[in-house]
Amino acid sequence: MLLRVEDIHKRYGKEEVLCGVSFGMMKGETKVIIGPSGTGKSTLLRCINRLTPADQGRVWLEEEEITHTRTNINKIRAQIGFVFQSFNLFAHLTALGNVRIGPMKVKRMKKDDATRLAREELDRVGLADKADAYPAELSGGQQQRVSIARALAMFPKLILFDEPTSALDPELIGEVLEVMVSLAKEGMTMLVVTHEMGFARAVADEIIFMENGVIVEQGTPTQMFTNAKHQRTGEFLNKISELYGETG
Amino acid sequence: MSFEWEWFPKLAEGLPLTLQITFSCIAIGIVLGVLLALGRVYGHRILRGICIVYIQFFRGTPLLVQLFIVYNGFPNLGITLTALQSGILALGLNTAAYQAEYFRGAIQAVRGGQMLAARSLGMSLPQAIRYAILPQAFRLVLPAWSNEFILMLKYSSIVFTVTLLDLMGKAKRLAARDSRSFEIFLVAALYYLVLVFIVSTLLRLLEKRVRIPGLGAPSQHR
């Protein structure tokens, strides 16, 4: 098991956002988390790499317990890519600079090597020609692809995607999903919070449906779309397919 | 009103000292100001409290009083500094408080996602500050900070009160000798005006040089 999440609880003030979430991921798997907004999907992702500390519960990356207080969290985070809804590219660095900085500063890679690596990763997301552009000079779709390249340059064991296409104009979603689909097919382990059902159908090994801080149901896309056990799952899937279509 | 040519070179003798004091205190102010700002933003309760007290003290008391405390008061504590050291230290400690507030504003103006992105790559907090937050904060702070630089250039004139012969000190001495205060101080004012013009032009060039598309408002000048 590459990632094991066990009984995660998180509350903000009086409201319990996560009420005991558990699941696991094997190497090379792609899992998609869906569910109404406010059900703790993003919080769950952040609890995994401790950007938000969980109140209770444990998370393991392979043999190492991430949630243990004595774990060097920086070392763990360097192995887990995180792609944000709002990209969060470093505004003062070019696309190349954004991809290169992690390997250089966190992994102490030499500048020349990091630059070469960064160019390869930019090429992989189809942005070799934008290496010298600053984030403000790129479209949302391009920025998100750079941020995926930034995650890839760390050679992560796993990448967490937090609604990677939700902030994008509809016509820019496709280029980002395309990159994600090819990553999934190359065997990257990916945990994706998204409403893009086309993407889920195309590459997800499993869909996890969350509501009110718990996992209601999980299963393969075929199971979930044709044969959901819970009524809520079916309702939600229908509604979301109507709303977002299947751009994947 | 008539001017003596000899005043110009006489006053100019004070320029090196004025520049030395200004640049030294600005340098102290940058280092200490950044530390104070970081302490205020990222420090735990006690550190934050110390920084706030420091900043409030130096912003809440007159610069001249601060200078006299250092120059006239410190010897009572057994710390004797030369007039130049006192001038640089007092001005430096003072501008640090103001610069700290500018830096704090700029650090807080850097978007929250930048810190998250840096930490998610595995950077430690100091690394994230160093590589993600400060480079952006420095660019955001430049316009306000340039003002502070120019203010210090002018405020440095108070060091004449501790016997230093900077531009102002020279003017004061000459005015006493020739009894021509009006003209002599006008010449001193002219020198300050030229200095301010040069410094603000250089700062504007710096701002242009380090500018990055999409980061901060298009540069404005006063």
Side-chain angles (χ1 to χ4, degrees), chain B residues 98-114:
Chain B
Y98 284 90
Q99 291 191 36
E101 285 296 87
Y102 290 131
F103 287 132
R104 176 179 66 93
I107 287 168
Q108 289 174 334
V110 174
R111 287 190 210 110
Q114 302 284 305

Side-chain angles (χ1 to χ4, degrees), chain A residues 2 56 99 125 162 200 229:
Chain A
L2 182 81
Q56 194 188 315
V99 181
V125 298
D162 187 6
K229 281 191 227 90

Side-chain angles (χ1 to χ4, degrees), chain A residues 46 74 77-78 80 82 84 88-92 101 105-106 108 134 136-137 150 154, chain B residues 113-114 116-124 127 131-132 135-136 139 212-215:
Chain A
R46 287 176 182 220
N74 296 325
R77 288 191 188 131
I80 301 181
F82 201 104
F84 297 88
N88 294 346
L89 290 182
F90 301 121
H92 63 297
I101 194 161
K105 302 305 176 190
V106 177
R108 311 253 164 237
Y134 286 98
E137 300 168 324
R150 177 171 68 177
M154 296 296 287
Chain B
Q114 302 284 305
L116 283 180
R119 298 308 304 272
S120 77
L121 282 175
M123 286 190 196
S124 63
Q127 279 182 318
Y131 299 116
Q136 297 185 47
R139 288 177 171 86
I212 280 171
L215 196 62

Side-chain angles (χ1 to χ4, degrees), chain A:
Chain A
M1 192 91 68
L2 182 81
L3 178 77
R4 197 145 54 91
V5 175
E6 207 179 270
D7 197 31
I8 291 289
H9 288 257
K10 176 71 188 177
R11 88 176 35 249
Y12 288 118
K14 274 189 184 148
E15 197 189 356
E16 190 160 33
V17 191
L18 295 174
C19 333
V21 175
S22 308
F23 67 94
M25 288 187 71
M26 306 294 281
K27 193 170 176 325
E29 272 188 326
T30 295
K31 292 201 177 183
V32 166
I33 303 178
I34 60 171
S37 51
T39 38
K41 300 169 307 229
S42 297
T43 307
L44 175 62
L45 284 197
R46 287 176 182 220
C47 284
I48 289 174
N49 76 346
R50 266 171 60 185
L51 280 182
T52 300
D55 296 335
Q56 194 188 315
R58 304 206 269 181
V59 182
W60 284 267
L61 182 68
E62 292 171 333
E63 300 308 309
E64 203 160 4
E65 191 194 329
I66 299 175
T67 37
H68 197 288
T69 43
R70 285 188 18 219
T71 300
N72 181 345
I73 190 60
N74 296 325
K75 268 200 174 134
I76 296 283
R77 288 191 188 131
Q79 305 172 59
I80 301 181
F82 201 104
V83 174
F84 297 88
Q85 180 177 348
S86 47
F87 333 130
N88 294 346
L89 290 182
F90 301 121
H92 63 297
L93 297 176
T94 60
L96 184 74
N98 266 280
V99 181
R100 178 170 69 182
I101 194 161
M104 264 170 64
K105 302 305 176 190
V106 177
K107 291 186 161 178
R108 311 253 164 237
M109 194 184 274
K110 284 210 199 77
K111 189 169 183 179
D112 289 350
D113 299 335
T115 304
R116 205 170 311 124
L117 169 65
R119 287 194 189 283
E120 281 170 26
E121 299 302 348
L122 283 174
D123 191 34
R124 200 163 156 193
V125 298
L127 288 174
D129 56 329
K130 295 289 182 190
D132 297 321
Y134 286 98
E137 300 168 324
L138 298 171
S139 73
Q142 290 170 333
Q143 288 190 56
Q144 194 59 298
R145 281 146 69 198
V146 173
S147 95
I148 293 172
R150 177 171 68 177
L152 288 172
M154 296 296 287
F155 295 112
K157 290 180 175 160
L158 158 78
I159 304 183
L160 309 173
F161 293 83
D162 187 6
E163 303 207 25
T165 57
S166 296
L168 296 176
D169 291 334
E171 75 271 20
L172 301 177
I173 291 174
E175 61 188 71
V176 173
L177 291 180
E178 212 172 285
V179 169
M180 291 170 60
V181 167
S182 68
L183 279 183
K185 287 184 174 158
E186 284 165 32
M188 175 58 70
T189 313
M190 297 162 59
L191 182 59
V192 186
V193 173
T194 186
H195 297 303
E196 296 298 333
M197 289 305 105
F199 172 79
R201 263 189 208 270
V203 294
D205 296 292
E206 190 172 72
I207 294 177
I208 297 174
F209 175 55
M210 276 182 72
E211 190 166 39
N212 300 326
V214 294
I215 293 179
V216 176
E217 187 170 353
Q218 50 192 324
T220 64
T222 328
Q223 266 170 17
M224 296 288 273
F225 278 99
T226 57
N227 203 1
K229 281 191 227 90
H230 292 75
Q231 202 193 339
R232 274 298 296 149
T233 313
E235 281 170 15
F236 182 80
L237 282 171
N238 283 332
K239 200 155 77 186
I240 212 167
S241 303
E242 244 172 62
L243 272 175
Y244 290 87
E246 302 209 350
T247 6

